[in-house]
Structure formats: C-alpha cells, structure tokens
Amino acid sequence: MGGLSAYGQDPVHRRYTVADGLPSNTVYCALQDREGYMWFGTDAGAVRFDGRVFSTYGVEDGLTDNNIIKLAQDSKGRIWFLTLNGKLCYLLNDSIHNGRTDPELARYESLNGWTSFVEDRHGMLWFGGVYDNVLRLDMEGDRDSLWVFPLRKTSVVLDDDQEIVIVLTGRIHALEGARWVATDSIRSPFIQTDVVRGFDGRSPPLTVTVDGIVALQDGRWLKFLEEDFENRHHIRCWVDANGDLWVTLGDGGIEFRKKTPSGFAPPRRLLADEFVNFEYVDDERGRWICTSRRGLVHCTNDEFQSVVYKGSATNGEEAMLLLQRTRARGVLAGSAEGGIYAFNGRSLARLPADATGRVLDFAEDRVGNIWIASDLRTLLLPHGASNFNEVALRWWGSPDSIIPSSGSKALEILPDGSVWVAYFGFWVIREEAGHFMRYRFPDSLNFTGRSLAPHVDMTGRLWYEANERLHCIESGHRKDFPQLEGLTGLRITDIKSLASGQLLIGTTGAGVLVLDTAARPIGGITMEDGLISNDIIRIRAFHDTLLIATKQGLQVVIGPLIGPASQRTMFTVKGLGTGEVNDAITDGDHLLLATSAGLCSVPFPGKDIATAPPRIHIAGLWLNGKEVDRNVRIELAQGRDQVLITFRVIAFTEADRLEYQYRLRSADDWTRTENPVLELASLSQGSYTIAMRARRPASGWSEPVLVRLVVKAPWWMKGSTWIFGFLVICLVLVQVTRRSLRRKCSRALAELRERQVVNEERTRIATDIHDDLGADLSRLLMYARQAEPDARDAEERPLTEGLDRAIDKMDEIIWALDPRRDTLQSTVQFIEQQAHELAEARGLKFRAKVQVPREPVHLTAKQRRELMLLAREAVRNILDHAEASTLWIEWTTETNAVQLLIRDDGKGFDPATADPSRHGLTNMRIRAGHLGGTLLIEREDPTGTRVHLWFPLPGIIRSDDVIDEDEMQLGP
C-alpha cells in the first residue's frame, strides 16, 4: 500500500480573522465576562464579540495602549486591560476609565507592562509586571502598595488558602507583615514563563520547567507532570475550565491533554503550523484558541471532540465524496479531486492512484478486489496488490480486441460475481481465464440515457435510476414504475434495501421514500417529519440506524421507519464544520463522514442531545429616539410615546439558527419574532413586563430578560382626571344650580313680596272703592230713584241708569283689583255671570258648559283682564250684530291649556268682510296674543258665528276631577 502520510488531524473549527471583523490577526488572550460576551486582546485593541459582531475598543475609546496582553474581570464587574506600556485602565458600565478620568490609576505605572492579575479575598487587586513590579491596588480605600524587584520576572497568584503569593523568576514569596519571604524555588532549569492558576477552580498554579510541569502547592513546587521538556520548546501551561491541560509550543501548535480519572491522556498536538498564545473555554464549553498570525480558532464542544482529516490537495480543502469499509483494506475514501485515501482510524494516507476526475463509487467483490468508478476511469485494486490498475477489457467473443478503460458513474457487484457498471446504460464485466471480459448488455434490457444508483437487494434484484425513473431487473426482465412519478422529487440519488425487504429511495426534493417489496409506497421521511433537508445525497443503513447524508448535514434516524414518528429518534450530527455531507459510515462508537471540508471522525452522539440555551440581555432601550436607562421602569404617555428595545443574544454556535419569542405581559402567550428587536407604539394604558427569550434548534428556551413599562394615559384621559373633572363639573353644576335656584328663589320671593304688596294695595283700593265710593254711589242711586219715581224706561231716568252703570263698572273694577279672584275658576264665573246678565237683558237664551279643574288655577291680573275683555267683546258683538236667539259659552281644559268657545245662532259673520275701521276684532286678536294663545273666528253652518280661543296655562293637568256643569238654559 505504500507509506502512510498523515495529514491534518485538527478538530473541526471555524476561524475568525480581520475579514470577519477582528482588528488584527494577532490575538493574545481571551475572556468571557459575566454577561456572556467574549473579549479578546489583540495588538490593535480589545474586541468584544457576541457571536455575530466584533466591537473594537482602542486608544481613541480610552484604552491606554492597543497592545492588550491580558484581560481580567474583578468582583465589581470591571474589565481590566493589561498592556505593555504599564498604564492601567478598565471598562465599567460601557465606559473606559484611565489615568485621565481616575486619578487613582495615574499613580502607578510599570515600565515593562503588566501581565498577571488576581483579586484576593479582601477585594484587593494585585498586578504583576513583566519585570520588576508588583502592585496592590485598593479601589475602595488607601491601602495601595507598589513593590519593586529589579530584573526579576514576576507573577502574582493565589495559593491554596486564597492568599497572595508572588513568583520571582521561579522563587515563591509570601507576604509576612510588610515583607516578602521566600518559601521555595525551582530546582531544575527554569523557563522564563508565567505562572498560571487553573481555570477549573481546583487545579493549582502551574509553570513549565525543562523537567516538566510543576505546581505551586503549600508554598512549594511539586511535580505535576513527569515529562522531559528540555528540547521541546514548551512555553506556557494551564488547566482550562474543563480540567484539561494545555501547553503552548515554541515551534508551533499547542498540546492538548484530556483530563481522565487517572490523570491526563497522551498529548494531542493541534494547529501545528500556528503559534498559539492562549486557549479559553466559554460557558457553552466551546474553545477559543488565540493565535499570533491567523486570528481566532473556535471549536464548539461537539467540534472539538471531532477530528477533520485533510486530503493532500494543494489548491485548498479537498472534498470527500464517498466512503467504503472493506474487509482487507479498512476504510477507503474518495475525493472530488480524484484522490483515493486509506483511513486506519488514526491517520489518512493517499494511495498511489489517480482516478482523473471525481471518485464516485466503490465496490468490493467476493475475492477482495476493489473496483473504483470515477468520471474518466474505472480502476481496480486487485486483492493483495499495492497499486491500482486501470481496467483493460476485452470484448466477449473477441479476446484480442482490447477496450481502453472509460469513465463510470456507479457500479455494483451481483451475486454471480459480475460487475455491472453504470454510465449511459450498463455494461457487464466478468473475469474469465485471467482476463476481464466486457459483455454486451442483453438487447432486451437495452435503454438510452444515464443510469445511476445501482443496488442489488436481498433477493438479487437490481434496482437503478434511469431517466429520472425507478427501474428493476429481475430474471433477465426490466421493469419500470411510472406510478412513482411525482413521489421521487426531481430525481433519485440513492437506493438501499433493508433486511425486511423494504426499499429506501433517496431523492432530490422529496426526502426519503419507503417502498414495500412490490415497490409500492408505504411511508417516507421528509422535512415535515423532522428531516433537516429534502435533498438526499446518500443513505446508509446499519441495523436499526439510518444515516441520511444531505446538503444540510447528517441526520441519524434510530427506530422503525414505518409507523408513528414518536417511535423513532432523529437528531442532527454536530461538529462537522460544514453543512454538506456526502457519505457516512459508523462502527457504533464513531461516525466517519465524507464532507466538503474533508474526512471527519465524530463520536457517535447519544440519543438525548442537550444544548445549553443562549444568553440574552438588553442591548439598548430608546424612548422617542433617545436612549434611556434600561435598569429602571419606563413611563410612557399613551398614544404619544414610542419605545424601541434591542436585545443582544450571545451565542457562538448556531447563531444564524436562533429562534426568538416575546410577550408583553406575563399572562400573554409567547409570540414568535424574526429578530430580537421590538418597536412598540400605541400601547394601551396599563403596566407591561416585556419579556424576550431565545433558543437554539436543539436547546431549551433561555431565561427571559425583562423590561418594565408603564403606559399612562394623558392627564385628560386618566381615570382620576375624569373623576376629578366629573366632581368639578358636578360641583360647578351644584353651584350654578344653587345660584340659579337662589336667584329664582330671590326673584320668586321678591315677586311674592311684590305681589303681596300689590295684592295688599289692590285689596286696600278695592276695599276703599267698595266701602267709600260704593257707599256714596249707593246713596246717590237711592236719591236718584227718589227723584225719578215715575220714570218708566231708561230714557226717562238717565240719572238712575248712569248710576247703575257706574256701580256695575265699580263692581268690575273691584273684581279686577281683588287678588282673591286671581284664579281661572273666578274668571270663568265672572265672565259667565256677565254674559248671562247681558243675554238676559237682551232677551237671549244663554247656555253654558264648564269643565275646569276643581283646584284653583292661578291667573295673573293681566291674564284675567285680557280674558274678560276678549270674552266681553265677543258677547257684545253677538248681542249687537248677530240677531241671534241663543248664546253658548263652553269652557274646557286640557294638559297645560284652556279653550273658550263662544257661539250663537244668528245671521252669521265672515271676518274677511269686516269693516277695517272697526277695532273690535283687532283688539280681540291682540288680547289673544297677550295671552300667548290663538283666536279663530268663523261662520257656522247653517247659521251663527263661532269664536274659539286657545291659550296655554302651565299647571293645568287634564283629570276626571273637574267642575262639570251641564248645559244650562238661562234667560227667557
């Protein structure tokens, strides 16, 4: 087989350089802060990384130097940047503090720079210089101290009791009082290197000597790793957060020794062509390796457990296309560059063969010969031989005709030992008499077009794809299956069979199709069932485990393919460093994958894959475009303020596949969003606890990060404002009502008092007229009658008649002045009495009908007078002009109104023909207007005139309790 040449065995990794955002490819140190950010020190500044974006801090941002040799974070959250210029600075709350902003820092400077840092249990900060200086810094008090040790390399560390010790060029010193006392020194030649305490919290401080690694324990140097380093250029060592041991090598690379129950595993040299400065394990157990010239190397936990073996291509990465486990030669791998490699489990070696084009298929016949199909050649590695032979064929029937080898796309060994080679159709190879003979394909099986994916099942049937359709050759007959069209996607890429006879069809676009022994579809696995891609490259079946290689990675399916999905387990293999997997095989403990990045060896993952959720926190909070403090509760005005919240998700693996959810209140359901940015406007009034969380595809949800908001309505929309306004309005209404009522009461009381005064005056005048003038007129009337005893008619007794009329007028005046008569009932009675007397005097019949309330209805003196004069004018018009025999007067009341009807049976009267020079009708209408009513005068049919007066009178309520006088006939 020739000599084995081992190629790269580094873990699968991703590299970050200046092309990804680093300010420099020289990276000295790494640190993960409490929020989860990764920090890196470079020769061009400090860098913060959240999994997506590198943010650089330099001297323009407040750093004292751009060469950051070490990073450290103290208990107060300050991130210290140790530089070679020896000037101190730190970052706190996104602000960098230095000697210009903090006078405490300006007092101390190391000419050779600071390289070590620890914080003791008392909160004191200790800095060790490259040479000469040790500084104790008390940020909370005045216990600062600076010690100078000329030309001595210094390191400050914590011992087992968490007390400070310093190492000066290999000699241990402890502080006793105010003096440093030496306790031990390294007896073997000391390599001028730092002393680094283990990051796992258990391992002691370590340093490197030519005799091996020693540890500082109980104030003494003790052997930690028995190994001779004298000629091996070991520089620095430390124990990482996982307890694994790392040693940097001066001639390139870094040694990794995994922690085991019995100590450390043998060393594994990584990145041999790099100069490594530091390695750091983050909270996701990913490893960050800082190099001097080629940036950062990042390995996830899964990737670090994997190994990628590179091919020998000189033009970059060599993609592996297929794998084949053989009985005598181990695992063979074929590449896209035509390389054929042997893998023995530890190294990858290229075999002396050139396939000229892609290596597309392997097959091993029953005697151990290895057949290889490639784009331009078909090769054979005979059993026991060291070199590949190009297959030279002879036509069957013409053994002297040599056929040069041609390319092939796939091949398959049939049970009879013949080799079926697929390209455009099939051709068959059989070995006879020491020669490989090419047989003509039977005419009955001839077809045109490309043939792919040949596979022989357990019964000897040959299945293959041709012209994008499934075909089968059984007992010399070919059969195709057009009924599967539409189920096999764009084309068939692989065919495999199970021991049960079921057929697995890998497709492009339709996932994996499962057929029964008669090629009828009975199931399948697609992205709807959890498959990572419907574009299948190759299928491998091992007992109850199915390996599905896709363009998006490798999926492992364990359990039955037919039946409920809950009965099987599906998971994606991680740690490949690439998405495209072309082939995979397994021995149960490991997976070997042919990928676009090379050959990957991956520990077979467990069925339960638990991934830590990403970290999430608030990156910024803006209110109406202005950034505000994210740690306090924010108050917003409803309908006016807008809030923008940006969340920072820190994830160094699968950052492009993160999922996000948010909710506005704790009782709300979670809502999915595409990015961790929330823009909130038009929130209704109330309290909100905005929560955002994130997860990776295979992890749980992170702890939600919260932002508290209170949306307050504008003052004019607040409930208290409404209540206050309502109370104010009520108070104003009460005051207005009180004032109005007071004014009304005052006016009413004044009117009442005025009315009372007027009424009293009216009563006095009426009384005086009645008592004085009435008595005088009565006495004069008596004298007149005595003077005119013999007069028979009115013309003969003018004095008597005049006094009678004066007495009647006086009675009318007395009635009008008497306030006791200010009622509707009194007015009705007075008008009825006068009408009766006038009718009687003229010889007319008088009839009256009265329906008015029994309770007194008040009328003013003016209303009484207007009503009385209007009724008198109507009655006198009847008496003087109607030539009637009967006079009717009717009084009726309704709700808040009074109606007066006066009619006769005379000759009738048309108001339209009335003499305009007469004022009687005009006065009647004026008086009706003064009453606020309406007056209607019309001729009655067949004879007579009708006068109808309607006027409002508040306070009248229609009721059955009314004075109801029947029609009366009065007069002759």
Side-chain angles (χ1 to χ4, degrees), residues 77-126:
R78 293 176 290 239
I79 297 178
W80 292 88
F81 306 97
L82 306 190
T83 66
L84 287 179
N85 70 357
K87 296 179 180 180
L88 294 174
C89 61
Y90 65 87
L91 179 139
L92 182 65
N93 298 329
D94 293 331
S95 297
I96 294 178
H97 302 262
N98 51 38
R100 296 188 302 274
T101 60
D102 189 343
E104 180 75 6
L105 302 180
R107 298 171 57 189
Y108 306 104
E109 182 177 338
S110 175
L111 296 179
N112 297 303
W114 305 104
T115 58
S116 59
F117 170 92
V118 293
E119 181 177 5
D120 66 20
R121 59 184 178 181
H122 306 294
M124 299 292 182
L125 307 180
W126 293 79

Side-chain angles (χ1 to χ4, degrees), residues 268-287:
R268 173 181 164 192
R269 187 171 183 176
L270 308 177
L271 306 173
D273 56 346
E274 311 261 2
F275 184 81
V276 176
N277 293 315
F278 192 61
E279 180 270 349
Y280 189 88
V281 178
D282 62 31
D283 292 344
E284 299 175 2
R285 300 188 68 187
R287 290 169 169 83

Side-chain angles (χ1 to χ4, degrees), residues 20 43 84 278 287 361 390-391 550 797 813 823 863 954:
D20 302 295
D43 62 355
L84 287 179
F278 192 61
R287 290 169 169 83
D361 203 1
E390 185 173 354
V391 177
T550 77
R797 52 177 187 274
I813 293 172
T823 62
Q863 288 175 318

Side-chain angles (χ1 to χ4, degrees), residues 873 876-877 880-881 909 913-925:
E873 182 69 27
R876 284 181 176 175
N877 287 335
D880 294 340
H881 307 291
F909 170 70
T913 62
D915 185 359
S917 63
R918 301 179 64 86
H919 301 291
L921 295 180
T922 302
N923 292 338
M924 290 174 66
R925 289 189 176 94

Side-chain angles (χ1 to χ4, degrees), residues 95 137 355 464 483 497 587 641 648 685 779 842 924:
S95 297
L137 191 61
Y464 62 94
Q483 66 271 23
S497 60
D587 58 6
D641 292 336
R648 183 64 56 83
Q685 181 183 357
R779 190 163 49 252
R842 298 291 183 94
M924 290 174 66

Side-chain angles (χ1 to χ4, degrees), residues 19 395 491 656 831 971:
W395 276 111
R491 66 183 183 90
D656 56 340
I831 293 173

